[in-house]
Amino acid sequence: MKIEFENEIIECNVIYGNREKISIQIDSLGFITVKAPNGTSEAVIVKAVEHHGKKIVDKLHLIAEARNKPRTKEYQEQGKFLHLGKEYFLHELIDTAGLDEEELKKNLKKFYFNSCKKVIGERIKSYQAQLKVKPKSIEIEESRTKWGSCSSSKNLTFNYRLAMAPIDVIDYVIIHELCHLLHMNHDRSFWRRVGSIMPDYKEKEEYLARHGQAMTL
């Protein structure tokens, strides 16, 4: 469905189901999902989207701005890279002596993989205890579209680029995926469970939407 709002086109994917209210979700890539009760008219959906139009458009602009930021990295000692939400010179993260750009990039990616594995391994334990869940496996992977995922077999995967994010943002992704062990869909029960552990989770989503494109090699 395409809805015009203040000279902007808001494109939504509408999903109908057994629910009481309309909800609107925007993922970190700018994909909008409207979930509506069965039988909801198009006019009611349009009105709901228009009611939140300013907030939706502002968030889409933030995502587009982050996506269009320069992504060229300087693979030299004074090049700066994110780690746990802070900027460091490359030589502060890995040994740079005598290495060419390809070797530096390879070693830096290895550093992030190891860091991500270590941080998630340490942080996930307390949240598992709070939620009373246990994943079958935990893997670190490379992905351009997902920060984390949970399979129907209870296998969790996390994007190695999370090592560039602040700890509280990493915690949000951990909580998000652990909650999928209880609720596989993004329904109200799922978000209530996430919010019970991290009430300000929307701020973490906003961080990923705003800074996600800068968290790259």
Side-chain angles (χ1 to χ4, degrees):
M1 178 184 291
K2 294 183 179 180
I3 300 168
E4 186 174 347
F5 178 82
E6 295 184 354
N7 298 318
E8 300 268 1
I9 299 296
I10 299 175
E11 192 166 347
C12 312
N13 178 40
V14 181
I15 299 176
Y16 296 93
N18 294 320
R19 53 190 301 114
E20 295 179 0
K21 297 180 180 179
I22 293 175
S23 70
I24 302 171
Q25 299 169 358
I26 308 175
D27 67 16
S28 61
L29 298 176
F31 187 79
I32 304 171
T33 301
V34 178
K35 295 183 177 180
N38 290 324
T40 304
S41 68
E42 184 173 311
V44 170
I45 293 173
V46 170
K47 186 176 180 180
V49 172
E50 289 177 340
H51 179 71
H52 297 283
K54 179 68 165 57
K55 185 183 294 186
I56 293 171
V57 168
D58 286 348
K59 188 162 186 177
L60 291 177
H61 286 171
L62 284 175
I63 293 170
E65 180 184 335
R67 186 181 294 122
N68 293 328
K69 282 183 179 179
R71 298 173 63 180
T72 303
K73 299 291 186 180
E74 295 183 19
Y75 288 92
Q76 54 186 3
E77 284 193 0
Q78 299 303 310
K80 289 188 176 181
F81 294 83
L82 288 169
H83 182 232
L84 303 183
K86 297 181 181 180
E87 278 195 332
Y88 293 87
F89 291 116
L90 182 58
H91 68 85
E92 295 179 295
L93 300 178
I94 62 172
D95 182 12
T96 60
L99 301 180
D100 60 26
E101 183 173 318
E102 185 176 340
E103 291 171 320
L104 290 172
K105 186 173 182 178
K106 179 181 177 182
N107 289 354
L108 183 60
K109 180 180 285 190
K110 183 177 180 180
F111 166 81
Y112 282 130
F113 262 93
N114 291 337
S115 176
C116 188
K117 183 176 182 179
K118 180 176 183 292
V119 171
I120 287 177
E122 293 172 349
R123 307 292 295 180
I124 200 170
K125 295 175 183 177
S126 64
Y127 295 120
Q128 283 183 199
Q130 289 181 63
L131 290 164
K132 296 181 174 59
V133 295
K134 186 176 182 179
K136 185 176 179 180
S137 68
I138 301 171
E139 300 291 338
I140 308 302
E141 66 171 12
E142 180 173 4
S143 174
R144 292 186 177 183
T145 59
K146 295 180 180 180
W147 294 110
S149 65
C150 173
S151 73
S152 58
S153 302
K154 298 187 177 183
N155 299 311
L156 302 188
T157 60
F158 296 94
N159 193 326
Y160 81 93
R161 294 190 293 125
L162 280 172
M164 303 178 195
I167 288 291
D168 57 349
V169 175
I170 298 174
D171 283 351
Y172 161 65
V173 179
I174 290 172
I175 293 167
H176 185 114
E177 301 310 329
L178 285 175
C179 284
H180 275 313
L181 295 174
L182 300 170
H183 308 279
M184 283 303 293
N185 298 316
H186 290 105
D187 56 15
R188 284 197 300 171
S189 297
F190 170 82
W191 290 113
R192 279 199 299 266
R193 202 71 186 92
V194 172
S196 71
I197 305 296
M198 181 174 280
D200 62 347
Y201 71 86
K202 289 185 178 180
E203 293 180 12
K204 318 310 177 190
E205 287 191 321
E206 192 71 25
Y207 181 94
L208 291 172
R210 182 188 290 268
H211 301 287
Q213 292 300 317
M215 293 161 54
T216 182
L217 296 182

